[in-house]
Amino acid sequence: MSTFAVGDEDFLLDGRPVRLLSGALHYFRVHEEQWEHRLGMLRAMGLNCVETYVPWNLYAPEPGRFGDVEALGRFLDAVERAGMWAIVRPGPYICAEWENGGLPHWLTGPLGRRVRTLDPEFLAPVAAWFRRLLPQVVERQIDRGGPVVLVQVENEYGSYGSDRAYLEWLAELLRRCGVSVPLFTSDGPEDHMLTGGSVPGVLATANFGSGAREGFATLRRHQPSGPLMCMEFWCGWFDHWGTEHAERDAEDAARALREILECGASVNVYMAHGGTNFGGWAGANRAGELHDGPLRATVTSYDYDAPVDEAGRPTEKFWRFREVLVEYAEGPLPEPPEPPARLAAPVRGGFGGWASLDSVLEVLGDEEVVAPVPSTFEELGVDRGLVRYRVEVPGPRQPYPLGVTGLRDRAVVYVDGFPAGVLDTAEGEDPVLAAPVAGPAVVDLWVESLGRVNYGPRLAEPKGITGGVRHERQYLHGVRARGLRLDAFGAAAVDKVPFAERPSGEGAAGVGAEGCGPGLYRGVLGVAGAGDAVLRLPGASRGFAWVNGFCLGRYWTAGPQEALFVPGPVLREGANEVWVLELEGDGVPAMELGVL
C-alpha cells in the first residue's frame, strides 16, 4: 500500500515528490479488447499515468436502472497491469464532447437549468449514481493497492456556474462514498472560471493548450501553494460536421508541452488517444464566444489530432512528445507495442435488403404519443435516435409556408408521403420549407437530434420540436409523435423488420426517386483476414451504421469525416452483417471495408 498526497509544492508518493505525466484516454471510446494496446502506447510515449472521465448517461438509460458500471473497474485494473497511475473524473457532468456532457436525458429534461446546482431534485439522483459508481474507484485507490491517485470534483464548473455550495456538497459526497485520495478541480486559467469552479481545501488545476507560464501565474494568484498541474493540455482539437479537420503542428504542440514541464508542473495530455464516439454518443456545441449561437454537432471520430490516432497508431506528434517526455522519465522508455491486426484486404459489396422508415418504425418504434403540441425527445424518452412527428394541415386552404419553431436539430419533411425538403437549424431554430403547403395534407417530420449540447449555457436544452409546427402564422395542433431509438436496433429486433429488395409501393415515406432512399439497409460482407478497418458508404448521405450489431456511429457527407473506424474485434472471419439507417439520400448506397 502507498500514500499519495498534495504537498506544498509537489505531489507526494509515500512522502517523495513525484510528477504526474498523464494522458487522457476515455475507456468508453475504445473497444475493451484494445485497452491494453492503447495503454501500452501511452506508456511508450513516456507517460506514467492515465486519465479518464465516466459518462453517467452511458450507464443509466432510465432512472434507477444501471448498465455495465463495472467496465470502469476493469479499465482501472488494466491501468494497474500497465504499470501506470490513474486519475478519475466521475462528473456528474464531464463535457468531453459527449452527448449532454454525460448527464442523462431523463434528468436534464425536467430540470433544465436546475442541473449542476444545489437543487435537491438534482442532488438525489447524483447521490444514487455515485453510490453505485464509486465502489469501482474506491476499491482501486492507491492506498488500497490500486492505481487511482486523484479524483475530480465536477468538471470545469467555473465555465458554467458559481454555486460553490453545490461543489462543496459534491466534494463531501465523494468523501462519504469512500474517496480518500486527493480531490481536485479543473478550470480555464481565467479569474472568473477559477473563482467559480474552485473549492476551499481542494487542489485547483488549470486547462489550456499553450501559454503555460501565464496560465500558471493566474492559477497561483488563486492558489499560492500546492503542485502545479495542467489537467487538460489541449494538444489538438475535435471536429464538427461541416467544418475543416482540426490539426495542430506537432513541433508547436511539443514546445507547449515542454513549457509546462519546464515550469515544474505535472500534465495531463488531452487527448493522448481520443478514440471514437461509437453508438451515436457524440455531443454538440453552440457557436460563438458565449457558446449560445447555432448548433455545431461533433463528428463520430474523436481522433482529436492526438499523438495516438483513432486506430491506435503513433503520429508525428507521438514521437515529438516522446522526445520531450523521455527527459523526465525514470529509466528508458519501452518501445511501442505491436499494433493490432488490420484488415488484410479491402472488401466491397451491396445491400440485399431494404425497409422504409415507416416500416422500420412499425417494428422498432416506441408507442405513439398524441398531444396538442409536439412532445420533445425528453418527454418521449428518446436519448439518441429520431422522432417522427405527424401533423395534419386542415383544408381546403391555399398554399402557405410551413415552418417549425424551436427545431432541434434537423428534420426531413414529407407531405402526403412524398419528400418535401430538409429543415436545418444551422443558422436558426425556426426554419421554413422552401415550397408552400396546401391543405388538406398530412405532414411527417423525421427529426434527428445531432447531439445534445455538452458545454456552455445551453447545456440541458431539450431536443426535437420544442415549439410547434406552423402553417402560415397558425400553429397546427394534435401532433402525433413516435420515437425510434438507436438502442432498439438489436439483432433479434432487426430480424423482425420486413426487408424487401425494392420498396413495396410508391408514395411511402422514405422512397426516393431511384426506388429506394431513406430507410434501413441490410447486407453482408465476407471477410478473410479480420482486423481494424474503416467503413465507407458510397451513395449514402446521413445516418447510422452497424457492423455485427455494433453501432459505429453517425456518418454524414457534410464532412470532414469520410469513413467510420471499425475496431478489429467487431469483425469476424467470414460473413459480417452490416446495417445502415439512411435518413436523407435518394439513391441506393454501397459499402466498402477499407484497409487502414
Side-chain angles (χ1 to χ4, degrees):
M1 308 297 177
S2 296
T3 62
F4 191 87
V6 172
D8 290 338
E9 296 182 356
D10 301 292
F11 291 113
L12 302 174
L13 177 66
D14 295 331
R16 176 176 61 88
V18 294
R19 188 196 302 253
L20 295 180
L21 303 174
S22 179
L25 190 166
H26 301 158
Y27 68 97
F28 48 91
R29 283 177 159 132
V30 179
H31 194 284
E32 184 166 350
E33 293 184 30
Q34 298 184 327
W35 288 348
E36 182 178 351
H37 172 264
R38 303 304 194 262
L39 290 167
M41 291 296 295
L42 268 58
R43 194 74 186 90
M45 193 169 71
L47 302 177
N48 58 23
C49 183
V50 63
E51 171 269 310
T52 187
Y53 284 120
V54 184
W56 182 4
N57 53 7
L58 180 64
Y59 301 114
E62 57 189 46
R65 183 163 72 89
F66 297 108
D68 184 19
V69 178
E70 289 72 24
L72 173 61
R74 296 195 299 274
F75 176 70
L76 294 175
D77 291 342
V79 172
E80 183 177 17
R81 290 194 298 271
M84 303 177 77
W85 295 313
I87 299 169
V88 180
R89 305 167 81 182
Y93 163 82
I94 63 170
C95 184
E97 290 70 59
W98 187 261
E99 162 84 5
N100 219 23
L103 298 175
H105 71 284
W106 48 260
L107 185 60
T108 59
L111 294 186
R113 65 183 184 278
R114 292 159 58 195
V115 302
R116 303 181 75 189
T117 70
L118 206 60
D119 189 297
E121 291 188 50
F122 179 65
L123 301 184
V126 170
W129 163 236
F130 272 19
R131 284 194 294 269
R132 178 67 178 86
L133 171 72
L134 287 175
Q136 301 296 318
V137 179
V138 171
E139 295 165 5
R140 295 169 174 85
Q141 295 178 111
I142 195 167
D143 54 9
R144 298 195 183 193
V148 178
V149 294
L150 291 173
V151 173
Q152 182 171 272
V153 180
E154 242 270 359
N155 183 58
E156 293 186 314
Y157 188 73
S159 299
Y160 178 80
S162 58
D163 191 343
R164 175 171 287 183
Y166 160 62
L167 294 181
E168 292 174 340
W169 176 89
L170 197 58
E172 178 59 27
L173 175 63
L174 290 165
R175 292 302 190 203
R176 290 200 310 270
C177 287
V179 175
S180 54
V181 296
L183 302 177
F184 70 94
T185 58
S186 65
D187 288 284
E190 305 284 345
D191 289 327
H192 69 291
M193 294 179 181
L194 288 165
T195 54
S198 299
V199 180
V202 173
L203 178 71
T205 64
N207 301 339
F208 50 79
S210 59
R213 290 180 176 83
E214 294 82 357
F216 287 139
T218 302
L219 180 60
R220 273 291 180 240
R221 290 203 301 271
H222 294 261
Q223 183 172 262
S225 64
L228 293 172
M229 183 164 188
C230 178
M231 188 53 66
E232 291 186 15
F233 164 52
W234 303 318
C235 64
W237 207 245
F238 54 92
D239 291 336
H240 289 135
W241 292 110
T243 64
E244 296 294 321
H245 173 56
E247 293 182 297
R248 182 175 184 181
D249 178 75
E251 293 290 351
D252 174 67
R255 284 192 296 271
L257 174 61
R258 184 179 296 279
E259 183 182 357
I260 293 171
L261 299 176
E262 287 176 347
C263 291
S266 291
V267 66
N268 179 51
V269 177
Y270 193 100
M271 297 291 298
H273 170 59
T276 308
N277 293 310
F278 297 120
W281 284 106
N285 292 277
R286 289 286 180 171
E289 289 187 13
L290 299 180
H291 296 273
D292 59 356
L295 189 87
R296 298 291 182 261
T298 302
V299 303
T300 296
S301 171
Y302 201 61
D303 177 80
Y304 212 88
D305 193 34
V308 180
D309 75 6
E310 185 178 14
R313 299 170 297 188
T315 67
E316 179 67 17
K317 197 173 291 179
F318 174 94
W319 299 111
R320 299 291 78 76
F321 280 18
R322 181 178 159 104
E323 290 172 356
V324 173
L325 293 166
V326 70
E327 299 176 22
Y328 298 87
E330 295 183 358
L333 298 182
E335 292 302 310
E338 287 295 316
R342 296 175 186 168
L343 185 69
V347 183
R348 298 177 177 84
F351 292 96
W354 174 88
S356 71
L357 290 177
D358 282 336
S359 61
V360 174
L361 186 66
E362 284 301 312
V363 176
L364 303 183
D366 298 334
E367 292 295 320
E368 188 170 74
V369 173
V370 182
V373 298
S375 302
T376 66
F377 276 41
E378 288 71 21
E379 291 167 335
L380 294 167
V382 176
D383 55 356
R384 294 154 297 119
L386 56 156
V387 172
R388 185 192 68 185
Y389 294 94
R390 176 167 287 174
V391 64
E392 295 184 7
V393 178
R397 61 172 65 184
Q398 68 187 62
Y400 285 119
L402 187 132
V404 177
T405 60
L407 175 64
R408 300 184 186 138
D409 300 301
R410 191 172 174 93
V412 181
V413 185
Y414 299 86
V415 177
D416 291 329
F418 291 91
V422 176
L423 298 178
D424 190 345
T425 59
E427 302 304 328
E429 296 177 7
D430 300 331
V432 176
L433 275 180
V437 175
V442 176
V443 178
D444 287 345
L445 303 100
W446 289 84
V447 178
E448 182 195 355
S449 163
L450 297 176
R452 286 180 176 84
V453 169
N454 53 254
Y455 179 84
R458 298 290 290 268
L459 180 75
E461 66 183 12
K463 288 296 185 179
I465 298 179
T466 65
V469 181
R470 290 181 294 106
H471 196 227
E472 204 248 359
R473 77 201 70 180
Q474 182 188 79
Y475 279 108
L476 301 175
H477 296 292
V479 182
R480 287 177 280 173
R482 192 171 184 185
L484 182 61
R485 294 172 293 107
L486 292 187
D487 284 346
F489 287 80
V494 170
D495 280 343
K496 298 177 182 178
V497 173
F499 288 95
E501 292 187 9
R502 284 290 181 267
S504 58
E506 295 183 1
V511 178
E514 298 181 24
C516 284
L520 183 63
Y521 291 82
R522 183 168 66 174
V524 175
L525 287 173
V527 170
D532 288 352
V534 291
L535 177 68
R536 297 184 179 89
L537 300 166
S541 178
R542 178 177 62 90
F544 296 89
W546 291 257
V547 173
N548 294 325
F550 182 89
C551 185
L552 302 176
R554 179 184 288 110
Y555 64 87
W556 195 358
T557 53
Q561 184 173 352
E562 298 178 348
L564 295 172
F565 175 63
V566 184
V570 170
L571 293 173
R572 52 187 177 231
E573 295 297 310
N576 292 263
E577 188 164 75
V578 180
W579 310 330
V580 168
L581 183 66
E582 171 61 38
L583 302 178
E584 285 190 35
D586 59 3
V588 179
M591 51 181 168
E592 301 176 355
L593 276 178
V595 177
L596 285 164

